């Protein structure tokens, strides 16, 4: 009997406690809503009293919405460094560039479109660095045969066979070590390296010998000869193209 009475009292206490908690929660919620309403009223009165605040707030909100909309519409797309801006139609090349691209495509069995992008880049870099485009292309040909994923025995990679650790600072400007596999980045860093070697030496042959040593070429003297021979062949291609263009433009003699 006593146990039943104790259980009844415990149940009553628990019920009273639950009721108090519920009523306390409701009371706190009411006060919170009232406080929130009061803040809204005060802010609204402030905006009404000072139109400049309302304009500034509207502009801030609109700007935030526009940013969010841009982020939603223009979601980041993973870029592929191997295909980014590395194709070029022959129709978009100059006659000299197109002739060189066709010649290299046949010799090294490389598709003309990605090769055309490398030829155009060599011309662009040649203008900025005062290096013959034929020399830049000759180095690419001997170093990698225009394979952007070529890897040497000493860990050199890419079209110009760069040593990633040695060029870490330069590659860092283009996104880090993996950018060495981006054809355009590889060529640009390689040309910078060649320029630096030319400033350190007194002749092109010496600079090429150092370049060959840094890229892991075993026979430096043969490397220099191969690069210069390839350059001469490329220059003959452009000379032949210029001669053909001159003949086409020259009017036939009248009989």
């Amino acid at each position: 009997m006593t146990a039943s009475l104790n259980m009844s009292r415990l149940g009553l206490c628990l019920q009273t406690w639950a009721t108090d908690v519920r009523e306390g929660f409701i009371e706190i919620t009411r006060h919170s809503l009232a406080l929130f309403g009061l803040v809204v009223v005060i802010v609204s009165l402030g905006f009404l009293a000072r139109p400049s605040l309302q304009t500034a707030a509207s502009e801030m909100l609109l700007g935030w919405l526009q940013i969010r909309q841009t982020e939603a519409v223009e979601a980041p797309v993973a870029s592929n460094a191997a295909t980014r801006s590395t194709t070029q139609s022959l129709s978009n090349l100059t006659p000299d560039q197109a002739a060189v691209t066709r010649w290299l495509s046949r010799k090294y069995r490389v598709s003309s479109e990605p090769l055309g992008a490398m030829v155009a880049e060599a011309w662009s870099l040649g203008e900025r660095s005062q290096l013959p485009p034929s020399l830049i292309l000759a180095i690419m040909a001997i170093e990698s045969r225009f394979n952007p994923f070529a890897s040497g025995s000493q860990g050199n990679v890419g079209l110009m066979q760069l040593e990633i650790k040695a060029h870490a600072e330069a590659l860092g400007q283009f996104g880090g070590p993996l950018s060495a596999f981006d054809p355009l980045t590889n060529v640009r860093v390689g040309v910078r390296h060649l320029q630096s070697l030319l400033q350190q030496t007194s002749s092109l042959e010496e600079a090429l010998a150092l370049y060959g040593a840094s890229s892991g070429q075993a026979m430096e003297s043969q490397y220099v000869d191969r690069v210069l021979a390839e350059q001469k062949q490329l220059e003959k291609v452009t000379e032949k193209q210029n001669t053909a263009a001159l003949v086409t433009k020259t009017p036939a003699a009248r009989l």
Side-chain angles (χ1 to χ4, degrees):
M1 185 68 178
T2 304
S4 299
L5 182 60
N6 290 334
M7 290 298 295
S8 300
R9 289 178 179 177
L10 179 61
L12 182 60
C13 291
L14 291 174
Q15 184 178 1
T16 303
W17 177 80
T19 302
D20 291 341
V21 171
R22 180 174 61 83
E23 291 178 353
F25 177 76
I26 294 174
E27 192 68 20
I28 291 173
T29 303
R30 287 176 180 174
H31 287 300
S32 298
L33 291 174
L35 180 61
F36 177 75
L38 180 61
V39 171
V40 171
V41 171
I42 293 174
V43 172
S44 300
L45 291 175
F47 283 145
L48 291 175
R50 299 183 61 181
S52 59
L53 290 178
Q54 184 178 2
T55 303
S58 299
E59 291 177 353
M60 184 183 298
L61 178 60
L62 181 60
W64 180 81
L65 290 174
Q66 289 176 341
I67 292 173
R68 297 296 298 172
Q69 183 178 9
T70 302
E71 291 177 351
V73 174
E74 299 178 359
V77 180
S79 60
N80 187 342
T83 58
R84 178 179 57 82
S85 302
T86 54
T87 59
Q88 185 74 268
S89 173
L90 291 179
S91 61
N92 295 329
L93 301 176
T94 65
D96 286 352
Q97 295 171 359
V100 167
T101 300
R102 284 191 287 266
W103 186 82
L104 290 172
S105 179
R106 289 193 298 269
K107 181 176 181 179
Y108 293 99
R109 297 181 180 181
V110 179
S111 177
S112 61
E113 290 188 353
L115 191 55
M118 296 302 99
V119 171
E121 182 66 14
W123 248 262
S124 177
L125 290 172
E127 292 178 357
R128 297 198 296 268
S129 64
Q130 302 302 309
L131 293 175
S134 56
L135 176 61
I136 299 172
L137 290 169
I139 294 175
M140 279 191 271
I142 302 305
E143 289 286 357
S144 64
R145 298 181 65 87
F146 299 99
N147 177 9
F149 299 106
S151 180
S153 58
Q154 297 183 5
N156 303 70
V157 298
L159 293 172
M160 302 282 278
Q161 286 295 282
L162 301 178
E163 184 182 354
I164 293 180
K165 290 184 179 180
H167 300 285
E169 183 176 354
L171 292 171
Q173 300 175 5
F174 296 93
L178 292 179
S179 63
F181 293 98
D182 174 15
L184 298 182
T185 299
N186 194 286
V187 174
R188 291 166 185 171
V189 175
V191 169
R192 287 186 190 179
H193 180 44
L194 179 60
Q195 282 182 298
S196 176
L197 295 177
L198 285 169
Q199 293 174 358
Q200 300 172 25
T201 57
S202 57
S203 68
L204 174 61
E205 287 77 9
E206 291 180 15
L208 287 175
L210 290 177
Y211 192 101
S214 67
S215 66
Q217 296 291 332
M219 303 297 292
E220 296 177 15
S221 59
Q222 293 183 8
Y223 172 79
V224 173
D225 293 339
R226 291 170 63 199
V227 170
L228 295 178
E230 185 78 9
Q231 182 186 8
K232 288 182 179 179
Q233 287 185 308
L234 291 168
E235 289 176 347
K236 287 181 180 180
V237 173
T238 57
E239 290 174 1
K240 183 177 180 181
Q241 169 60 35
N242 292 334
T243 301
L246 183 62
V247 171
T248 302
K249 292 181 179 180
T250 302
R254 295 182 179 179
L255 297 177

